[in-house]
Amino acid sequence: MRDARIAASCLLLILIGLVSCSPVELAPSNETPLTPTEEQMNIDIHITSVELDKSFYKPGEPVQLSVYLQSGEEAPVDAQLDVVITHLAEVVDQFGESLSLASGDQVATFTFTPPGVAPRGYGLDLHLKSASGAELDLASAAFDVLIHWTQTPRYGFLSDFPPDRPDVDDTIAILTRYHVNALQFYDWMYRHEQLLTSQEPYTDLLDRQLSLATVKRFITAAHQRNIAAMPYTAVYGASMAFYQQHPDWALLKANREPEFFGEDYLVIMDLRPGSPWVAHVMNEFDQVLMLTAFDGIHLDQYGDPKVGYDTDGNSYGMAEPLAAFINETKAHVLAQRQDGAVVFNAVTNWPIESVAPADQDLVYIEVWPPYTWYEDLHDLITQAQKLGGGKPVVLAAYIDPSYEYNIRLIEAVIFASGGGHIELGEQDGMLAEAYFPRYKKMSTGLTAVIHRYYDFAVRYQDVIGPRTTDVTQDYSNRIQIDGVSTSPSQRENKIWPIVRESDGFLAINLINLMGVDSPEWEKLLENPPTSLGSTTIRVLNVDQDVNRVWYATPDNEYLFLEPLEHMVVEEDGNKTLLFEIPALQYWGLIIIEWSD
């Protein structure tokens, strides 16, 4: 028993005179999966999936829950399906339905209205029981209540807009299962400098045949699921034909030649405030917002040039013009959409000091070298959170979905750091590179993992999400794990604690880098991290009274919090909190509730 082991350790310390111990504080019991009984093993009934009708819910909006079940029994079997809704470890609501499950598939549907508190994440736990009360199956999921998607952004993408695309509704339904609540419509436009055209269908600059009718069908389908639609635009890219019509609008190099992007693919235009290019682009944005139902503007740049020159050869920095462009775009968006959003791509984290505090709704960073370590992902997020005044942060960190071990660690680091990750789109597609149409498909196994990780991030957003505060540095030398390094100076072969603080709670995320032979997130891992079994955790210099301690992990099928028995001991005049976690694969979450 874990409490017996901790108590025995404490007794030993007392006997040798090192510490004095406070009484063992037991957290309240919570339901956990039991060893299958003979009855459970002999009844072939399972929960196959849990689906929600929207990506998130606005206050007062009802939730429609569908639970899909499968029976291998020839004769009908009586069963009970119970639904438990939680906020962290507290039960918010519970209800159920008696079922008679015959051979084949069946769906049970529920409609309920969650509390109107927003923003807030909730857990869903489904318990399928036999007529005698034996647990036949369990399933976990999550949902959240938000006022606006930008409070907890889960950004996805779309990139294929051919005429008469047949799978629009199905594509959006799949993205809803991941709780994706906004979509970047990538390269949907006619030209970079002319977003709309009267042609239908039309051919873009790369000879792809596109359809505005398909784009509009996707927008409508997304809105039905509370998913925002954000159109990709480039802040200063124009075709060669447009440049030839307006040669004096171009951004110049030191030799007074125009700046090109991709040889002669695009020409970079001068976007300083008051320039004719800015007036032209703002008019394009106005047209898009008037003639479509897009929910704002997504702004892209190319990371270079960082300096421009005027016709007299005078140089000027690009950081402040980009921030001014964001602010002007926001003003145009708000003139058309009261709750419209603006997102800007800080390529390679540049120029983050200028654009993070600008008038955009979240901070979006496209990750490139030199940001190659797992720790860089955390540092990018926490720096942007501070510079942006608490704005949510989304990273575009591209990796091939065949790198499944890497992906689990990347997700763990990003979500544990309070960030979001634009990666999911199309039909279980994942962004493998910066040109979105070359996305790749996830394996069936990876889709199940990503479902759990997104459920986990939604469920526990109130203790690890964007509205919490990073205190990792404060705890860098205060968390100890038996026989394992947690050194902040060590970049691999360790357990890395990422710590977030919220009102009344401390969340310790354990990222498992044991056996990981490289600290670089893009370097293929041939093997998963070395798993830990039951392990003692010590949190030093605890200066508040502890009420309860819990543990959860997205590496389990069931996502609810397991209460941990814990103890506070005195060491050299300071308090140390001790408890044991049952296991660690990739990502484990410890939640400490303070008494006050």
Side-chain angles (χ1 to χ4, degrees), residues 277-438:
W277 168 255
V278 170
H280 170 81
V281 173
M282 293 302 157
N283 181 66
E284 288 295 310
F285 293 167
D286 291 342
Q287 294 299 309
V288 166
L289 294 170
M290 285 189 291
L291 299 176
T292 73
F294 277 124
D295 296 288
I297 298 292
H298 179 99
L299 302 171
D300 190 26
Q301 54 134 343
Y302 306 132
D304 277 309
K306 294 179 173 61
V307 175
Y309 295 83
D310 62 22
T311 54
D312 295 325
N314 300 311
S315 66
Y316 57 89
M318 293 292 293
E320 292 309 317
L322 285 169
F325 191 93
I326 293 169
N327 295 339
E328 190 165 350
T329 300
K330 182 67 173 184
H332 279 257
V333 167
L334 290 179
Q336 303 281 349
R337 301 278 188 277
Q338 186 176 4
D339 61 349
V342 171
V343 179
F344 172 83
N345 181 7
V347 178
T348 321
N349 204 37
W350 180 84
I352 196 66
E353 291 82 2
S354 297
V355 301
D359 198 6
Q360 57 175 326
D361 293 84
L362 56 92
V363 183
Y364 179 108
I365 301 169
E366 192 172 57
V367 185
W368 297 104
Y371 303 104
T372 58
W373 292 345
Y374 289 103
E375 288 190 6
D376 290 331
L377 302 176
H378 166 264
D379 293 345
L380 286 171
I381 293 168
T382 56
Q383 180 202 38
Q385 288 167 343
K386 292 177 182 177
L387 290 172
K391 287 176 187 157
V393 179
V394 172
L395 298 187
Y398 311 121
I399 191 165
D400 193 296
S402 65
Y403 288 30
E404 296 193 7
Y405 302 142
N406 299 64
I407 288 168
R408 291 176 73 152
L409 287 174
I410 290 167
E411 306 293 31
V413 172
I414 291 175
F415 291 152
S417 303
H421 187 192
I422 182 168
E423 57 181 336
L424 303 176
E426 296 300 340
Q427 294 272 343
D428 284 327
M430 178 172 278
L431 292 177
E433 60 167 271
Y435 183 57
F436 288 14
R438 287 200 284 261

Side-chain angles (χ1 to χ4, degrees), residues 269-583:
M269 309 304 278
D270 181 358
L271 52 60
R272 284 178 294 173
S275 70
W277 168 255
V278 170
H280 170 81
V281 173
M282 293 302 157
N283 181 66
E284 288 295 310
F285 293 167
D286 291 342
Q287 294 299 309
V288 166
L289 294 170
M290 285 189 291
L291 299 176
T292 73
F294 277 124
D295 296 288
I297 298 292
H298 179 99
L299 302 171
D300 190 26
Q301 54 134 343
Y302 306 132
D304 277 309
K306 294 179 173 61
V307 175
Y309 295 83
D310 62 22
T311 54
D312 295 325
N314 300 311
S315 66
Y316 57 89
M318 293 292 293
E320 292 309 317
L322 285 169
F325 191 93
I326 293 169
N327 295 339
E328 190 165 350
T329 300
K330 182 67 173 184
H332 279 257
V333 167
L334 290 179
Q336 303 281 349
R337 301 278 188 277
Q338 186 176 4
D339 61 349
V342 171
V343 179
F344 172 83
N345 181 7
V347 178
T348 321
N349 204 37
W350 180 84
I352 196 66
E353 291 82 2
S354 297
V355 301
D359 198 6
Q360 57 175 326
D361 293 84
L362 56 92
V363 183
Y364 179 108
I365 301 169
E366 192 172 57
V367 185
W368 297 104
Y371 303 104
T372 58
W373 292 345
Y374 289 103
E375 288 190 6
D376 290 331
L377 302 176
H378 166 264
D379 293 345
L380 286 171
I381 293 168
T382 56
Q383 180 202 38
Q385 288 167 343
K386 292 177 182 177
L387 290 172
K391 287 176 187 157
V393 179
V394 172
L395 298 187
Y398 311 121
I399 191 165
D400 193 296
S402 65
Y403 288 30
E404 296 193 7
Y405 302 142
N406 299 64
I407 288 168
R408 291 176 73 152
L409 287 174
I410 290 167
E411 306 293 31
V413 172
I414 291 175
F415 291 152
S417 303
H421 187 192
I422 182 168
E423 57 181 336
L424 303 176
E426 296 300 340
Q427 294 272 343
D428 284 327
M430 178 172 278
L431 292 177
E433 60 167 271
Y435 183 57
F436 288 14
R438 287 200 284 261
Y439 63 87
K440 295 185 179 180
K441 296 283 188 152
M442 294 184 286
S443 69
T444 301
L446 184 58
T447 60
V449 168
I450 298 301
H451 275 134
R452 289 203 309 273
Y453 273 56
Y454 272 73
D455 275 337
F456 197 79
V458 170
R459 185 169 182 146
Y460 297 116
Q461 64 182 269
D462 297 314
V463 291
I464 63 172
R467 294 174 299 280
T468 63
T469 302
D470 184 83
V471 290
T472 300
Q473 187 171 0
D474 296 341
Y475 282 83
S476 61
N477 295 306
R478 294 169 58 187
I479 297 170
Q480 297 179 349
I481 302 176
D482 280 2
V484 174
S485 174
T486 58
S487 170
S489 62
Q490 190 172 322
R491 302 196 181 278
E492 54 193 289
N493 201 35
K494 70 171 186 176
I495 304 298
W496 175 22
I498 296 177
V499 189
R500 308 284 298 181
E501 191 172 53
S502 56
D503 188 17
F505 297 95
L506 187 75
I508 301 173
N509 299 272
L510 300 179
I511 310 300
N512 187 5
L513 300 177
M514 294 295 294
V516 173
D517 57 7
S518 172
E520 297 180 72
W521 59 267
E522 285 186 293
K523 186 175 180 180
L524 175 64
L525 293 178
E526 300 289 351
N527 298 294
T530 303
S531 297
L532 296 184
S534 180
T535 304
T536 299
I537 311 292
R538 297 161 58 87
V539 183
L540 308 181
N541 301 331
V542 174
D543 57 3
Q544 299 184 66
D545 292 333
V546 178
N547 187 22
R548 293 178 289 183
V549 181
W550 298 282
Y551 185 71
T553 173
D555 300 314
N556 286 343
E557 187 175 352
Y558 313 114
L559 305 180
F560 48 72
L561 292 169
E562 177 184 350
L564 300 181
E565 293 130 358
H566 62 276
M567 175 170 289
V568 176
V569 302
E570 293 283 343
E571 296 181 323
D572 299 325
N574 296 310
K575 292 181 179 179
T576 296
L577 173 66
L578 293 93
F579 51 86
E580 285 190 15
I581 59 170

Side-chain angles (χ1 to χ4, degrees), residues 26-301:
L26 298 181
S29 176
N30 196 0
E31 192 164 5
T32 56
L34 303 175
T35 302
T37 64
E38 184 176 349
E39 178 184 9
Q40 291 170 293
M41 295 176 66
N42 290 335
I43 298 178
D44 184 16
I45 299 175
H46 304 283
I47 300 170
T48 57
S49 67
V50 179
E51 296 187 12
L52 297 155
D53 64 319
K54 292 184 173 17
S55 67
F56 74 95
Y57 297 88
K58 298 177 182 178
E61 193 171 34
V63 175
Q64 293 184 25
L65 170 67
S66 298
V67 183
Y68 292 83
L69 306 119
Q70 187 177 69
S71 173
E73 302 291 324
E74 294 184 4
V77 174
D78 291 333
Q80 175 73 20
L81 180 62
D82 292 328
V83 181
V84 180
I85 302 170
T86 57
H87 174 246
L88 300 180
E90 307 302 328
V91 174
V92 173
D93 198 1
Q94 51 189 332
F95 44 85
E97 180 180 341
S98 297
L99 305 171
S100 180
L101 299 174
S103 178
D105 297 331
Q106 186 170 322
V107 59
T109 58
F110 303 91
T111 300
F112 61 93
T113 301
V117 181
R120 177 172 283 184
Y122 293 94
L124 274 171
D125 295 307
L126 295 304
H127 301 260
L128 182 62
K129 299 179 180 180
S130 69
S132 65
E135 193 93 68
L136 301 176
D137 202 3
L138 286 171
S140 292
F143 68 92
D144 58 350
V145 178
L146 307 174
I147 296 171
H148 196 267
W149 71 270
T150 55
Q151 290 179 308
T152 306
R154 296 180 290 274
Y155 215 177
F157 75 94
L158 294 170
S159 58
D160 300 334
F161 309 102
D164 302 318
R165 181 168 169 177
D167 62 346
V168 167
D169 291 336
D170 185 50
T171 299
I172 297 299
I174 291 172
L175 288 164
T176 303
R177 293 175 197 145
Y178 297 101
H179 311 283
V180 168
N181 57 20
L183 290 168
Q184 182 185 148
F185 284 57
Y186 182 92
D187 275 10
W188 65 279
M189 62 281 184
Y190 171 62
R191 294 288 185 271
H192 291 71
E193 75 278 355
Q194 182 185 341
L195 302 177
L196 299 174
T197 176
S198 59
Q199 301 174 30
E200 177 60 34
Y202 52 94
T203 302
D204 73 1
L205 202 57
L206 293 175
D207 292 327
R208 294 196 314 153
Q209 190 176 56
L210 307 175
S211 167
L212 186 61
T214 300
V215 169
K216 289 182 175 181
R217 287 170 54 218
F218 264 120
I219 296 173
T220 299
H223 285 170
Q224 291 170 349
R225 302 276 190 164
N226 279 357
I227 300 175
M230 297 289 288
Y232 171 96
T233 67
V235 297
Y236 46 28
S239 66
M240 182 63 70
F242 184 86
Y243 160 69
Q244 290 170 348
Q245 295 173 359
H246 305 280
D248 55 337
W249 289 15
L251 181 76
L252 300 180
K253 296 186 288 187
N255 62 4
R256 302 185 190 182
E257 293 294 320
E259 282 275 5
F260 291 93
F261 178 76
E263 296 181 2
D264 60 351
Y265 175 56
L266 293 174
V267 181
I268 306 299
M269 309 304 278
D270 181 358
L271 52 60
R272 284 178 294 173
S275 70
W277 168 255
V278 170
H280 170 81
V281 173
M282 293 302 157
N283 181 66
E284 288 295 310
F285 293 167
D286 291 342
Q287 294 299 309
V288 166
L289 294 170
M290 285 189 291
L291 299 176
T292 73
F294 277 124
D295 296 288
I297 298 292
H298 179 99
L299 302 171
D300 190 26
Q301 54 134 343

